[in-house]
Amino acid sequence: MAEPHTHDTVLVVDFGAQYAKLIARRVREARVKSEIVPADSPPAALSRPDVKALIFSGGPASVNVEGAPTIDPGVYDLGLPILGICYGHQLVARQLGGVVSGSGAGEYGPARLRITAPDAALFGDLPADSDVWMSHFDSVTAVPPGFRATAKSDGSPVAAMESTERRIHTVQFHPEVSHTARGQEILKHFLFHVAGCRSTWTPTSIIEEQVEKVRQAVGPTGKVLCALSGGVDSAVAATLVHKAIGDRLTCVFVDHGLLRKDEAEQVEETFVGNLEIDLVHVKAQDRFQDQLGGVTDPEEKRRIIGETFIRVFEEVARDHQDAKFLVQGTLYPDVIESGPKGAAKIKSHHNVGGLPDDMDVELVEPLRELFKDEVRAVGTELGLPEEIVWRQPFPGPGLAVRIIGEITQERLGILREADAIVRDELHKAGLEREIWQAFAVLPAVRSVGVMGDERTYGYPVVVRAVTSDDAMTADWARLPHDLLARLSSRIINEVPGVNRVVYDISPKPPATIEWE
């Protein structure tokens, strides 16, 4: 059987930087595979045949304080090209014999970079002066033996340095952030001119590689189950596995009655009607509603929904006891945050909410090397409809965590209609791809209003729209006032029981994106 394609890989060594993930994403935008590894990785772990270069990330510490993150000096003997960024720049200087000093004043935000060596490998045809983004207190004041300074700024006498013989290049500024003019060009100069990487990390190559990996893992006769939520991650994972093994995949879609308007029908139409994937559609709305009756505590709601889902999934799994594999839409940020995963036997997993101990299945995670934007690109390449590929993140407990207080059919109906209007108006405004999430929330209060010269006592609806890169932090979206006016008018006029609309302008932190 053919071996899966091996991509040239760049390892981003994480020294605690807030931008480590962004560096990895920028490398992938250049169509080169990247992975994030901890700073305490031994040299042997970094010298895999597919690894073509290392990037040392920034970090919050000073290289001169006791206990500051460091790396095994043996890494410099591997002969791999190295790009040091910010803290990585200072660490290279300090470990290889240069001097890093506190200047008495830091350099934060925009700065003017002046290139002092126009032939430097990283700078190519960049102008002699350009805008960059700095974030540092210490500075490199003397380069190590065998290095030369290639740029400076007002706060950095050595804002960049290089040793072409050792293929080590470092910069004090952050080329990965958008505030650095032509920063992506600098990264590309390192990837292609210094490290000689091939740009093979494309949606097509990812699909080909993962299809082959799935076939090897499952074998010629293995049967596979997939817990399908309707979200983009599980949808793309299921479609990719189906491409690999065809009708040996069975998808299980548990409708808990807490979905958005028309969502269940859309999922069924996509996977059965268009993609012809075997789908078990479990309509368990009444079962979930019975369990949730009278419950108001948000954590208790989550516990009930998670446990009931497991029980329903168990029942379906018993009817498919020949299925020894389970597909999940785990993404690379999940892997980064939870650390390397070990055995494939599953006892519990956050993506499904905790599977029972006695389920003897192996895990298939075809997206575990991908970021969300890459998953969307793969989904588009696989032919999934746009409404699935660009579906906004939706919590597993569904509308239950957007209804404050008790969940009733009446309140679900109100929220569904209001939420559909929010999403419809966002679509009409062409803002779907700019907004991370936009939805409606139904609080557990009522307020006085006037409609048709009569007093009303109806629900307010809260509109929540946020921008984010990864949901770790988020800011409230500055929606146009005319759009907010249309949202308010439509929700009040079209959704019975609502007489007031408010807009949530809380960032995360201190608030969360969801309300419960």
Side-chain angles (χ1 to χ4, degrees):
M1 186 176 292
E3 286 293 321
H5 179 73
T6 299
H7 299 277
D8 289 349
T9 303
V10 173
L11 299 182
V12 179
V13 182
D14 184 6
F15 290 99
Q18 58 177 322
Y19 293 133
K21 190 185 296 184
L22 181 58
I23 296 171
R25 290 170 63 91
R26 292 288 183 254
V27 172
R28 292 182 179 208
E29 286 173 11
R31 296 189 170 184
V32 177
K33 183 180 178 181
S34 64
E35 297 176 17
I36 298 175
V37 296
D40 60 1
S41 300
L46 306 179
S47 59
R48 301 179 340 221
D50 61 311
V51 175
K52 301 302 179 186
L54 306 176
I55 297 180
F56 291 1
S57 81
S62 164
V63 295
N64 290 323
V65 301
E66 186 177 352
T70 186
I71 196 166
D72 189 320
V75 166
Y76 299 108
D77 298 326
L78 296 176
L80 289 169
I82 295 173
L83 172 63
I85 295 175
C86 195
Y87 183 90
H89 165 71
Q90 297 176 11
L91 182 66
V92 169
R94 190 172 192 273
Q95 286 193 305
L96 296 184
V99 178
V100 179
S101 306
S103 59
E107 193 174 26
Y108 300 97
R112 196 71 177 167
L113 183 77
R114 293 183 291 279
I115 296 173
T116 56
D119 61 336
L122 291 185
F123 298 139
D125 59 352
L126 265 66
D129 286 16
S130 61
D131 294 323
V132 297
W133 188 263
M134 293 282 193
S135 182
H136 68 101
F137 185 79
D138 294 339
S139 297
V140 176
T141 53
V143 301
F147 281 74
R148 66 167 179 163
T150 57
K152 63 182 180 179
S153 70
D154 289 343
S156 302
V158 181
M161 65 181 188
E162 70 177 14
S163 169
T164 54
E165 181 180 353
R166 302 183 69 172
R167 295 194 294 173
I168 299 176
H169 304 259
T170 67
V171 295
Q172 181 61 71
F173 57 91
H174 289 273
E176 73 275 16
V177 303
S178 58
H179 304 289
T180 293
R182 303 177 75 169
Q184 186 69 358
E185 290 182 46
I186 293 171
L187 285 174
K188 285 182 176 180
H189 285 149
F190 174 73
L191 295 172
F192 302 128
H193 302 321
V194 175
C197 295
R198 297 171 298 164
S199 54
T200 62
W201 188 250
T202 65
T204 300
S205 70
I206 292 168
I207 292 168
E208 292 172 351
E209 180 178 25
Q210 291 304 320
V211 162
E212 188 58 40
K213 284 184 176 180
V214 169
R215 286 173 178 163
Q216 289 190 16
V218 173
T221 60
K223 301 289 184 69
V224 181
L225 284 179
C226 176
L228 189 68
S229 68
V232 60
D233 301 337
S234 65
V236 173
T239 307
L240 205 157
V241 173
H242 182 259
K243 182 178 179 67
I245 64 171
D247 60 9
R248 288 187 283 137
L249 169 70
T250 298
C251 290
V252 181
F253 176 54
V254 178
D255 184 352
H256 48 29
L258 305 168
L259 300 170
R260 292 170 284 196
K261 186 176 181 180
D262 300 329
E263 192 157 30
E265 293 79 7
Q266 187 180 59
V267 169
E268 187 157 10
E269 178 184 349
T270 297
F271 288 91
V272 178
N274 297 333
L275 301 176
E276 298 182 352
I277 292 177
D278 183 22
L279 179 69
V280 177
H281 185 170
V282 184
K283 298 179 180 180
Q285 298 95 320
D286 292 343
R287 184 166 170 178
F288 279 85
Q289 186 62 59
D290 289 345
Q291 294 291 323
L292 289 167
V295 177
T296 59
D297 180 74
E299 286 305 307
E300 183 66 6
K301 288 181 191 177
R302 289 178 179 273
R303 186 196 65 77
I304 290 171
I305 293 167
E307 183 176 331
T308 306
F309 175 87
I310 293 167
R311 299 284 84 84
V312 173
F313 191 86
E314 271 185 299
E315 293 164 12
V316 176
R318 290 192 196 104
D319 296 332
H320 295 78
Q321 291 185 357
D322 55 344
K324 300 300 181 185
F325 299 89
L326 177 70
V327 176
Q328 290 195 143
T330 306
L331 304 190
Y332 191 47
D334 302 328
V335 177
I336 297 169
E337 290 165 11
S338 59
K341 293 182 174 66
K345 298 286 184 182
I346 307 172
K347 291 191 176 179
S348 65
H349 196 289
H350 68 280
N351 279 358
V352 176
L355 293 172
D357 290 346
D358 57 357
M359 285 191 72
D360 187 19
V361 292
E362 292 185 47
L363 199 60
V364 176
E365 295 177 312
L367 310 180
R368 64 179 283 116
E369 296 182 334
L370 306 184
F371 288 104
K372 177 73 80 173
D373 57 326
E374 294 171 319
V375 172
R376 296 194 197 278
V378 168
T380 299
E381 187 76 13
L382 287 167
L384 279 168
E386 187 171 298
E387 59 267 24
I388 292 287
V389 170
W390 287 99
R391 180 165 290 170
Q392 293 180 355
F394 188 59
L399 299 180
V401 293
R402 295 176 181 174
I403 291 178
I404 312 305
E406 184 179 6
I407 300 164
T408 66
Q409 289 303 317
E410 177 203 17
R411 304 188 78 206
L412 276 168
I414 291 172
L415 183 58
R416 269 200 195 95
E417 293 302 322
D419 182 77
I421 291 171
V422 172
R423 291 185 291 123
D424 181 53
E425 286 296 332
L426 209 70
H427 173 73
K428 289 177 179 176
L431 295 175
E432 282 177 310
R433 299 190 185 185
E434 295 180 28
I435 304 298
W436 179 263
Q437 279 177 276
F439 53 88
V441 177
L442 190 66
V445 297
R446 296 183 187 236
S447 68
V448 174
V450 178
M451 300 177 76
D453 295 328
E454 293 187 5
R455 177 186 185 275
T456 64
Y457 194 55
Y459 288 108
V461 162
V462 178
V463 175
R464 178 73 158 147
V466 300
T467 57
S468 180
D469 290 326
D470 53 16
M472 299 300 291
T473 60
D475 195 10
W476 61 277
R478 273 62 169 176
L479 297 182
H481 289 180
D482 58 343
L483 173 57
L484 290 172
R486 286 196 303 274
L487 286 173
S488 177
S489 177
R490 284 194 61 190
I491 290 171
I492 290 172
N493 285 295
E494 297 177 28
V495 184
V498 175
N499 64 2
R500 189 182 300 269
V501 172
V502 299
Y503 189 51
D504 183 347
I505 60 169
S506 311
K508 175 188 178 181
T512 56
I513 295 177
E514 299 291 345
W515 269 49
E516 285 194 343

